[in-house]
Amino acid sequence: MSLVIEDMPDLGVTRLSRWIFNCYILRTDEGTVVVDAGLPHAAADLAARIDGPLHAVVATHGHSDHVAGAPELAAHHGAPIWLPTATLGYLDGTRPRTPTLAAAARIWPTYMDQPFDRVGLAGFVSGAWVAGYGTPAGMRWRGSAPEGGLADGQPLPGAPDWTVINAEGHTDDSIALWNPATRTLLSGDAVLTARGKVWHTPEVVDPSSAASTRQRLERLPVAHLLPGHGRPVHANETVWSEQRSRSHAPRAR
Ligand SMILES: [Zn+2]
């Protein structure tokens, strides 16, 4: 087992990771929310770390490695699922655009940057059959229907300290989550990290919207970047201008 758990108590965030697949627990005064329960194994991985009620399960986009664990986790806790508004359109039959395998291969430095985990890889493969998209089969969904959509500027259901920000480019349904009080950006796949550096993903379906997203995100004074794939990066000023290493040492299980 190499489930990595990283508590960031000053941010109210815990990161769980298997290989490159990050999942986050957000804890606020209003509630507890899980972001990107991507692996079918997520409910089991998270079970011991969610003691009280779970107020929402959300995703930064509809790729399988961000939503495949959501139906089971939500059912287990009786929590509603909220997906980006564009992702809901895919459930209704709109065909998602997804990066090519060649584009996906371009993020190899991120794959190399976290400890490999067999369960994570197996979950990634099997999860594509459960929920989400990324294969020629388009969007799949098993489990109860999502409660609703996440739109730009909206407070995050269950954790309104966080605001939804559209972040298209990697996919057309990508969002990020921003917490202005702690200056933390949960970037989904719009921004990755590798070797301790932030990295606007080269894995995109739409270069021009990716460029707009980059401009928009770089206007935020981000001190803590929590990526969909890669290790978090922290800075005294902003992660865009400088980066420092951090005291929160991940523990391997
Ligand atoms: Zn993705």
Side-chain angles (χ1 to χ4, degrees), residues 11-12 26-33 53 55 158-162 179:
L11 306 182
L26 311 183
R27 291 188 178 87
T28 69
D29 291 344
E30 290 81 6
T32 300
V33 172
H55 296 86
D161 294 359
W162 295 78
N179 185 326

Side-chain angles (χ1 to χ4, degrees), residues 54-58 70 74-75 77-82 144-148 157:
L54 179 60
H55 296 86
V57 178
V58 308
H77 289 274
I81 296 172
W82 295 79
S144 55
E147 181 90 359

Side-chain angles (χ1 to χ4, degrees), residues 34-227:
V34 168
V35 183
D36 285 350
L39 301 173
H41 204 262
D45 283 348
L46 287 158
R49 278 137 207 121
I50 299 172
D51 9 14
L54 179 60
H55 296 86
V57 178
V58 308
T60 57
H61 58 301
H63 269 158
S64 294
D65 58 323
H66 296 258
V67 299
E72 186 187 333
L73 177 68
H76 184 79
H77 289 274
I81 296 172
W82 295 79
L83 299 178
T85 308
T87 317
L88 294 184
Y90 302 153
L91 289 174
D92 291 337
T94 304
R95 193 88 186 158
R97 290 196 293 174
T98 195
T100 60
L101 274 179
R106 293 173 67 189
I107 68 163
W108 66 268
T110 299
Y111 300 149
M112 304 296 288
D113 207 38
Q114 286 172 277
F116 178 74
D117 177 61
R118 196 169 39 77
V119 176
L121 179 62
F124 174 54
V125 174
S126 65
W129 295 90
V130 178
Y133 68 91
T135 71
M139 184 80 183
R140 295 173 190 267
W141 193 261
R142 271 192 226 159
S144 55
E147 181 90 359
L150 301 171
D152 189 55
Q154 173 188 333
L156 188 66
D161 294 359
W162 295 78
T163 302
V164 176
I165 298 183
N166 278 356
E168 308 96 326
H170 169 63
T171 59
D172 295 312
D173 62 338
S174 290
I175 61 161
L177 300 171
W178 169 237
N179 185 326
T182 61
R183 297 201 293 135
T184 303
L185 182 70
L186 212 155
S187 60
D189 286 2
V191 189
L192 308 176
T193 69
R195 302 183 190 117
K197 305 276 186 206
V198 299
W199 187 25
H200 294 278
T201 188
E203 185 194 1
V204 300
V205 296
D206 192 324
S208 99
S209 57
S212 311
T213 289
R214 175 179 186 152
Q215 283 188 350
R216 188 171 186 203
L217 295 181
E218 289 193 351
R219 281 198 290 270
L220 299 173
V222 178
H224 310 278
L225 187 115
L226 310 182

